Amino acid sequence: MRNLGLQLFISFLLIANGLVFAQQRRKVIINQDCSGPGGSNMQTLLTLIQSPQVDVLGITVVSGNQWRDEEVAHTLRLLELIGRTDIPVVPGAVFPLVHRREEALLWQAMYGKVAFAGAWDDRWWHEHDVIPALPEGQPTTKPADEDAAHFLIRMVRKYPHEVTIYEGGPMTNLALANALDPHFAELAEGLVFMGGSLSPQTDDPEFISSPRHEFNFWFDPEAAKSVLRAPWKKIVCTPVDISVKTRITDEMMAEIKTSNRAAAQYVVKFFMKDQGGSYMWDELAAASWIDPTLITRKETRYLSVDIDHSAAYGNTLTWTDKDNPKLGAQLVEIQMDLDLARFNKMFVELMKAPTPQAAPESTLRKF
């Protein structure tokens, strides 16, 4: 009986510790254009999933770098390969609110071809409902039987003021959630996003002539403007200005390769060097939410998006207190510089780490 009592006591302590640990994990929904199999989007999913400090409630998928259905398949397969199929993958918007490929092509004919057009790019164009063969293999699991906007609303109402919305792609899903529920933004803990561009110091041809052009805003400008007007408690922006300071180096890849963990092997096998693949566009936004001390300089400005269908369509607009036109733009914390060595080290360590198990509550979620 003593042994049985001791075993029960130990089991109780383990369960209690697990529940405390789960309560300490910060809740996030990842809203991402989950292009794959390699590149910044998949690596950002891994950055958040691999952190023991984070509880990923779900991944809501939006067209952007690729079409939604192809991105959903990549995401499902990634979760299978790292053993985290408990995380729901929720399909979102296929098309932007207003912007369409036909208009984007006409716009480029008038104002100049963009360096990257995502799902609309001629280099890999296919219809929206086509899912090409995946290099990593086809998934056997299925997405959630719910749309992204309703999932987002349901989660912030279930956990009011606890859920951070991480946005790494076009903001269409968030705009739809705001339209359906005017309390969506204020019920969230905050919005963290990669997007926008102010004045990046770079020789990258994508930004030399168009420093205010950034893909996520340009793909769905109306959605971005709408979302940035919503009453979020806090908005944190990781713009091109800071993202272009990051690169995955050969040394980082060599270090990640020393691990036999699933996440590390995935990153090594599907690493992309072309199409700006070495930039850590979105990973920094995710990592700095986990550890804000990675950011060494930030600015606060009013932020919006140009939706005039002319040469500046989709461009980032910013104002200070002195020149703010008071048209509804919200104050945004804009990250401008970072401790690059610490960020690189954090990313490598997360990729090499064992994948955290689901928080105990995750097994009880109903989708």
Side-chain angles (χ1 to χ4, degrees):
M1 290 296 292
R2 278 187 178 179
N3 289 340
L4 179 59
L6 181 61
Q7 290 173 3
L8 289 173
F9 179 69
I10 292 172
S11 298
F12 172 78
L13 287 178
L14 290 173
I15 293 170
N17 287 337
L19 289 173
V20 169
F21 180 67
Q23 290 170 356
Q24 292 174 341
R25 293 167 74 168
R26 300 166 67 194
K27 294 179 175 63
V28 69
I29 296 173
I30 304 172
N31 192 76
Q32 187 81 40
D33 52 342
C34 301
S35 59
S40 181
N41 295 317
M42 291 291 111
Q43 289 160 190
T44 301
L45 298 187
L46 289 172
T47 299
L48 290 163
I49 294 169
Q50 288 289 110
S51 172
Q53 303 172 45
V54 177
D55 181 13
V56 178
L57 299 178
I59 301 167
T60 52
V61 183
V62 62
S63 290
N65 282 18
Q66 295 172 340
W67 288 115
R68 181 203 67 182
D69 292 351
E70 182 178 355
E71 294 171 345
V72 165
H74 283 303
T75 307
L76 290 169
R77 185 58 179 152
L78 170 69
L79 296 180
E80 289 176 353
L81 292 172
I82 66 170
R84 285 303 307 270
T85 55
D86 59 286
I87 299 173
V89 177
V90 191
V94 176
F95 302 109
L97 297 183
V98 175
H99 205 188
R100 292 293 184 271
R101 183 173 187 254
E102 293 75 18
E103 181 182 4
L105 291 173
L106 289 172
W107 184 89
Q108 291 178 78
M110 294 177 65
Y111 303 116
K113 191 172 180 63
V114 298
F116 179 78
W120 296 334
D121 204 298
D122 290 335
R123 289 172 290 181
W124 46 78
W125 161 257
H126 61 72
E127 293 292 344
H128 69 87
D129 53 355
V130 172
I131 302 177
L134 306 187
E136 69 272 37
Q138 303 301 122
T140 59
T141 49
K142 302 296 182 184
D145 187 19
E146 186 175 14
D147 67 89
H150 284 91
F151 176 84
L152 287 158
I153 293 166
R154 184 163 62 83
M155 287 294 104
V156 299
R157 286 193 169 274
K158 183 176 180 179
Y159 305 107
H161 311 297
E162 294 183 40
V163 182
T164 296
I165 308 300
Y166 168 83
E167 169 64 80
M171 295 189 176
T172 320
N173 291 340
L174 306 190
L176 292 171
N178 277 324
L180 288 168
D181 185 347
H183 300 292
F184 165 68
E186 64 190 58
L187 284 170
E189 172 64 19
L191 171 65
V192 173
F193 76 94
M194 187 278 147
S197 182
L198 283 70
S199 182
Q201 303 304 300
T202 176
D203 58 2
D204 191 309
E206 183 172 355
F207 306 107
I208 290 177
S209 299
S210 304
R212 292 262 168 168
H213 173 95
E214 182 274 323
F215 172 77
N216 287 342
F217 281 2
W218 175 79
F219 194 79
D220 195 343
E222 285 77 13
K225 181 171 183 176
S226 170
V227 169
L228 291 171
R229 289 170 62 94
W232 304 94
K233 183 165 67 175
K234 183 177 182 180
I235 306 175
V236 178
C237 167
T238 302
V240 165
D241 306 56
I242 188 171
S243 291
V244 293
K245 298 179 181 182
T246 65
R247 293 284 185 116
I248 295 185
T249 65
D250 291 339
E251 291 76 17
M252 291 169 67
M253 291 302 295
E255 179 64 24
I256 294 170
K257 193 174 182 178
T258 63
S259 172
N260 62 0
R261 304 289 186 184
Q265 291 303 305
Y266 187 97
V267 169
V268 169
K269 185 171 184 179
F270 298 111
F271 176 60
M272 293 172 55
K273 285 192 176 181
D274 58 346
Q275 303 165 30
S278 63
Y279 287 123
M280 304 179 80
W281 298 111
D282 299 351
E283 295 94 323
L284 177 59
S288 62
W289 173 69
I290 298 169
D291 182 1
T293 66
L294 293 173
I295 302 303
T296 59
R297 183 169 67 89
K298 54 192 175 184
E299 300 179 4
T300 301
R301 299 191 196 179
Y302 295 91
L303 183 66
S304 189
V305 182
D306 193 326
I307 60 170
D308 184 9
H309 290 233
S310 61
Y313 185 40
N315 277 9
T316 308
L317 302 175
T318 57
W319 302 275
T320 66
D321 282 323
K322 293 181 179 180
D323 60 8
N324 176 26
K326 296 181 172 57
L327 297 176
Q330 301 291 323
L331 276 174
V332 175
E333 180 183 292
I334 303 173
Q335 300 176 335
M336 300 301 292
D337 211 347
L338 76 156
D339 186 328
L340 184 59
R342 283 188 56 223
F343 167 60
N344 288 348
K345 181 180 179 181
M346 176 180 177
F347 178 77
V348 169
E349 289 179 347
L350 284 175
M351 295 309 103
K352 293 175 61 179
T355 300
Q357 297 300 305
E361 187 182 358
S362 299
T363 60
L364 303 178
R365 295 182 191 141
K366 304 296 183 184
F367 300 101

